[in-house]
Amino acid sequence: MIFNTWKKVSYELSIENSIESELPNVCIENNLSNDIYTQLEMISLTLRDLAILRLMRPILKENLTSLVENFYLNLQKEPSLQQIIQDNSTFERLKKTLSHHLGELFDGVIDEQFVAKRQRIASVHARIGLAPKWYMCAFQDLLNGFFIIVENTAYNTKERFEILKAISKILNVEQQIVLELYASDYEQALMKKNEVNLAIVESVRSNSSALSTVAAETNDSISSIVTVLNDLKKCLHIIIHYPMKLFALQRKSNNAYLPLKKIVPNFRKRCN
């Protein structure tokens, strides 16, 4: 992992010398949900943290290309992630999107637009089937990159640690918002999928029942047809052989004109 670093000078950079000029440019809007404020409070994210992030923007810009390139190079280690990207976008397009997205994290503003954008990202992740574990891995990779960048700055050790805490906090806010909505969307997607599967199973059961009924009716029809055919066979046998018997009877009796009333009842009897 290779990043550009600020050329170290004979003196150290100082957060305190610059932070006052950035504090007026940062804000946490007061129209957010109570949950968001509680989450920010629980991780101790302050306006000072946001101001520190803004101070880091020039350094981030200097290293942004390397950070993003390494991020997507790392993703390619997992074939399923490559497939998701190829099915839904391109690496080049996503690199531009991530560069812009990271820049926003260092703007020092947490407002409705900030929250809404991360919620949209969560919905996209759920829709394309990105598993949370890969999202978490990707963010840790970003944090690793920031560690290297900050480590090579000219700030003293104490201030480098403070910078890393601010970066860690803003990344954590991002993860909280995304994963909360992602979990909800993912659960809904699973429920819909389960409903579809249940509908398919029910359809198969209904069709199986219908087929069983049709099969039973078909068997009954075949049995009836077989009975009729057997009766026809008997009648055909009589039709074919009875004239021969009649002729023999006539010869035996020397009566060429045997009355039909003696023949027909006998014939009917044989056919029934």
Side-chain angles (χ1 to χ4, degrees):
M1 188 183 298
I2 302 175
F3 296 106
N4 297 321
T5 56
W6 288 110
K7 182 179 179 181
K8 294 196 174 183
V9 292
S10 56
Y11 60 89
E12 292 182 341
L13 293 175
S14 173
I15 291 176
E16 299 303 331
N17 292 339
S18 308
I19 197 168
E20 291 297 327
S21 62
E22 290 293 356
L23 282 172
N25 300 320
V26 302
C27 74
I28 300 174
E29 283 196 348
N30 56 9
N31 59 348
L32 303 176
S33 70
N34 290 332
D35 282 350
I36 293 294
Y37 292 122
T38 301
Q39 289 167 248
L40 298 181
E41 184 178 3
M42 288 182 69
I43 64 172
S44 301
L45 191 143
T46 64
L47 294 177
R48 177 181 173 87
D49 291 318
L50 298 180
I52 290 173
L53 293 174
R54 284 185 63 86
L55 286 176
M56 288 296 296
R57 286 190 304 169
I59 299 176
L60 172 66
K61 184 177 179 180
E62 188 77 15
N63 292 276
L64 192 56
T65 299
S66 298
L67 188 67
V68 171
E69 287 289 340
N70 184 77
F71 177 84
Y72 282 105
L73 184 64
N74 200 29
L75 287 187
Q76 293 179 50
K77 295 176 181 177
E78 171 51 42
S80 66
L81 297 181
Q82 288 192 67
Q83 191 61 50
I84 288 175
I85 292 173
Q86 291 171 4
D87 290 344
N88 296 276
S89 187
T90 65
F91 280 102
E92 290 307 314
R93 180 181 177 185
L94 290 177
K95 286 176 183 179
K96 292 179 181 179
T97 302
L98 180 61
S99 296
H100 181 70
H101 187 75
L102 292 177
E104 291 179 341
L105 292 177
F106 287 76
D107 283 345
V109 176
I110 298 178
D111 55 12
E112 286 185 331
Q113 183 177 355
F114 178 93
V115 174
K117 184 169 184 179
R118 274 116 198 109
Q119 290 174 336
R120 288 195 297 272
I121 291 172
S123 296
V124 171
H125 286 175
R127 177 177 57 81
I128 65 177
L130 177 65
K133 63 180 179 180
W134 301 127
Y135 174 78
M136 297 293 290
C137 285
F139 256 73
Q140 183 58 50
D141 181 54
L142 284 176
L143 186 58
N144 293 343
F146 285 127
F147 282 158
I148 296 173
I149 292 171
V150 173
E151 184 181 5
N152 288 280
T153 62
Y155 292 100
N156 63 46
T157 301
K158 180 181 178 181
E159 291 189 336
R160 286 202 298 269
F161 182 69
E162 190 172 8
I163 292 169
L164 288 173
K165 284 200 302 181
I167 294 174
S168 178
K169 289 176 186 179
I170 197 65
L171 290 179
N172 183 267
V173 171
E174 167 100 5
Q175 290 174 311
Q176 288 182 51
I177 296 172
V178 170
L179 291 177
E180 179 182 15
L181 188 61
Y182 178 89
S184 176
D185 285 3
Y186 191 68
E187 182 179 356
Q188 291 180 14
L190 286 178
M191 290 177 64
K192 288 181 180 179
K193 185 176 181 180
N194 188 50
E195 289 174 359
V196 171
N197 290 336
L198 288 175
I200 292 173
V201 170
E202 185 60 32
S203 176
V204 170
R205 286 178 179 172
S206 299
N207 291 335
S208 297
S209 178
L211 287 172
S212 297
T213 302
V214 171
E217 292 175 352
T218 301
N219 287 335
D220 292 341
S221 298
I222 291 173
S223 297
S224 299
I225 292 171
V226 169
T227 302
V228 171
L229 290 175
N230 286 333
D231 291 342
L232 287 173
K233 183 179 178 181
K234 292 177 182 178
C235 290
L236 287 172
H237 179 79
I238 293 171
I239 291 171
I240 293 171
H241 293 91
Y242 192 75
M244 297 175 64
K245 291 181 179 180
L246 179 61
F247 179 73
L249 182 61
Q250 287 174 338
R251 290 187 62 183
K252 184 177 180 181
S253 62
N254 293 318
N255 187 355
Y257 302 99
L258 191 67
L260 287 176
K261 64 181 181 180
K262 293 183 178 181
I263 301 172
V264 174
N266 195 25
F267 177 75
R268 287 178 178 173
K269 183 179 180 181
R270 291 172 180 267
C271 286
N272 290 332

